[in-house]
Amino acid sequence: MNAAISVVGIGADGWDGLPERSRRVLRAAEVLIGAPRQLDLLPAGECPGERIAWPSPLRPAVPGLLAAHEGRAIAVLASGDPSYYGIARTLAETLDADGSSALRVYPHPSSVSYACARLGWPLEAVETVSLVARPLAALSAALHPGRRLLVLGEGPGTPAEVAALLRRTGWGGTRIRVLEQLGGPAERLLDATAADWPHERTDALHVLALDCVRDPDTLRLGAAPGLPDEAYEHDGQLTKRYVRAATLAALAPAPGELLWDIGGGSGSIGIEWMRTHRSCRAVAVEKSPERAARITRNADTLGVPALRVVTGPAPSALTGLPTPDAVFIGGGLTVPGLLDACWDALPAGGRLVANTVTLESEALLADRYRRHGGELVRLAVAAAVPVGGFTGWRQAMPVTQWSVTKSGERA
């Protein structure tokens, strides 16, 4: 680009709230791009540049729009801090690897900063969830008793949709405050609980503040792997709680990593992998359409609607999937070619974990352990149950688990 693209954050207070440096950039711009609402905040006498409203959908239009005005001084308007859930990321990804060569960002206080200032909340102790172009179900994973959440809404109906979700999932006592037009002359606060939220629509420019309260009869879901089995809809094809916790420990998810969950069943391994960090990704491969649909429902309920579900038999269904950082095989170990396909798909440093309860699959894992190393363990869990008027132990089927980190080419 012959001229750098400037991204200028602007608040609800418009031109009056901009620092002089941002004003100079907007005065000098030959092209001004933004939402109609943002463009209307600029006085025509101060900013004579050509005004262009973003088309919809926005992201696919960015490259062509920038190319059409190459060589001109472009200023892009953004709400608040452009680098915080804003347009700066899209522009950087469009321009080059990091955007540093042709992108200059002039931030304004974000709506999150304004909200914390109004509520007296410490910014570093608050979790932010964006529902802009994201499924509403993504909020569920962040709900924990006593937590304070800030939610970036998609539009005027978002607060009512959030309230309905909270009532439906057992968080009706949660206090909701909607902060509208933060920093502007029309700033307003709406306050009620999810159980009695009265507003069907609010101002489009808003932030939701949630004080999370779990209803007494709602199942408690912790942040660590090993959620209660009752949290899942299943038909018996479910990696049970304690084995699941041990399996996730062996898989060792890290932020940004991708898991293949082969033989997804109820989706529990992929779901809890994604719950460890919001940037973790997973693909569940399940040959049964009925179970695949069940995985999708469980993912929505447990707050990870971005879980990708592939319906089809492995290994053929693995063709074309992105390279995994880790693979879990919970079923189908004896299917010809499956274990080889998963091993070959892993890059050096990738992890593979396989669980089985059958002697045939156990023999297969013992052979791979001999060839590739790793750890071969047997997990046995017993639960206390009534025995007449007393209590005794009931042993679950032991699970053999092989876990290994790939160090090089397959032997």
Side-chain angles (χ1 to χ4, degrees), residues 26 63 123 140 151 162 165 174 189 214 225 256 363:
L26 295 172
L123 182 59
S140 296
V151 181
V162 168
L165 172 72
T174 296
L189 173 69
R214 177 170 55 90

Side-chain angles (χ1 to χ4, degrees), residues 86-170:
I87 190 64
R89 175 179 177 177
T90 299
L91 293 173
E93 292 172 349
T94 301
L95 295 172
D96 55 43
D98 60 9
S100 60
S101 63
L103 196 64
R104 298 172 185 168
V105 179
Y106 300 85
H108 188 276
S110 69
S111 58
V112 168
S113 295
Y114 269 123
C116 285
R118 299 293 187 266
L119 299 169
W121 289 1
L123 182 59
E124 72 277 6
V126 175
E127 182 175 356
T128 303
V129 178
S130 175
L131 297 180
V132 179
R134 292 173 174 84
L136 181 66
L139 178 61
S140 296
L143 298 175
H144 297 283
R147 289 290 290 166
R148 289 171 168 174
L149 304 178
L150 290 177
V151 181
L152 307 181
E154 173 104 69
T158 298
E161 293 170 359
V162 168
L165 172 72
L166 294 172
R167 292 192 299 270
R168 187 169 63 250
T169 57

Side-chain angles (χ1 to χ4, degrees), residues 56-399:
S56 182
L58 184 152
R59 191 179 183 94
V62 170
L65 191 56
L66 297 184
H69 298 282
E70 184 176 359
R72 304 177 72 187
I74 300 174
V76 175
L77 293 172
S79 294
D81 186 345
S83 299
Y84 190 72
Y85 290 103
I87 190 64
R89 175 179 177 177
T90 299
L91 293 173
E93 292 172 349
T94 301
L95 295 172
D96 55 43
D98 60 9
S100 60
S101 63
L103 196 64
R104 298 172 185 168
V105 179
Y106 300 85
H108 188 276
S110 69
S111 58
V112 168
S113 295
Y114 269 123
C116 285
R118 299 293 187 266
L119 299 169
W121 289 1
L123 182 59
E124 72 277 6
V126 175
E127 182 175 356
T128 303
V129 178
S130 175
L131 297 180
V132 179
R134 292 173 174 84
L136 181 66
L139 178 61
S140 296
L143 298 175
H144 297 283
R147 289 290 290 166
R148 289 171 168 174
L149 304 178
L150 290 177
V151 181
L152 307 181
E154 173 104 69
T158 298
E161 293 170 359
V162 168
L165 172 72
L166 294 172
R167 292 192 299 270
R168 187 169 63 250
T169 57
W171 295 83
T174 296
R175 182 183 183 186
I176 301 176
R177 280 173 280 186
V178 175
L179 299 98
E180 300 176 338
Q181 293 283 334
L182 281 163
E187 184 174 318
R188 184 175 69 150
L189 173 69
L190 305 175
D191 190 347
T193 65
D196 57 9
W197 186 254
H199 308 284
E200 287 298 319
R201 298 179 69 80
T202 64
D203 190 272
L205 197 63
H206 69 264
V207 176
L208 290 85
L210 307 183
D211 288 282
C212 298
V213 177
R214 177 170 55 90
D215 297 345
D217 57 348
T218 298
L219 187 66
R220 185 183 186 278
L221 303 179
L227 298 181
D229 294 345
E230 295 78 14
Y232 292 93
E233 178 190 346
H234 65 90
D235 60 359
Q237 290 296 313
L238 174 72
T239 302
K240 299 302 190 290
R241 180 180 192 176
Y242 299 104
V243 174
R244 191 186 326 128
T247 299
L248 266 296
L251 286 166
E257 289 190 325
L258 172 67
L259 171 74
W260 285 3
D261 180 5
I262 311 298
S266 301
S268 62
I269 297 296
I271 288 170
E272 296 194 26
W273 167 281
M274 292 183 66
R275 281 175 61 94
T276 63
H277 193 272
R278 66 173 65 185
S279 66
C280 284
R281 298 162 295 138
V283 179
V285 179
E286 172 54 56
K287 66 181 180 180
S288 164
E290 183 179 354
R291 287 177 180 160
R294 188 177 293 118
I295 292 172
T296 298
R297 293 194 295 272
N298 281 330
D300 285 350
T301 299
L302 295 170
V304 288
L307 174 68
R308 179 181 173 186
V309 181
V310 174
T311 305
S316 60
L318 307 180
T319 302
L321 295 183
T323 301
D325 299 287
V327 174
F328 171 67
I329 306 176
L333 274 169
T334 57
V335 173
L338 174 59
L339 197 48
D340 282 340
C342 292
W343 182 259
D344 290 341
L346 279 174
R351 289 96 62 203
L352 188 148
V353 176
N355 291 355
T356 187
V357 296
T358 69
L359 292 175
E360 292 78 8
S361 294
E362 186 178 277
L364 185 63
L365 295 185
D367 174 68
R368 295 309 174 104
Y369 170 67
R370 176 183 58 81
R371 294 164 57 185
H372 300 300
E375 290 187 313
L376 190 65
V377 300
R378 177 166 289 180
L379 306 172
V381 178
V385 297
V387 179
F390 299 93
T391 303
W393 294 107
R394 175 172 293 167
Q395 185 78 39
M397 291 183 69
V399 175

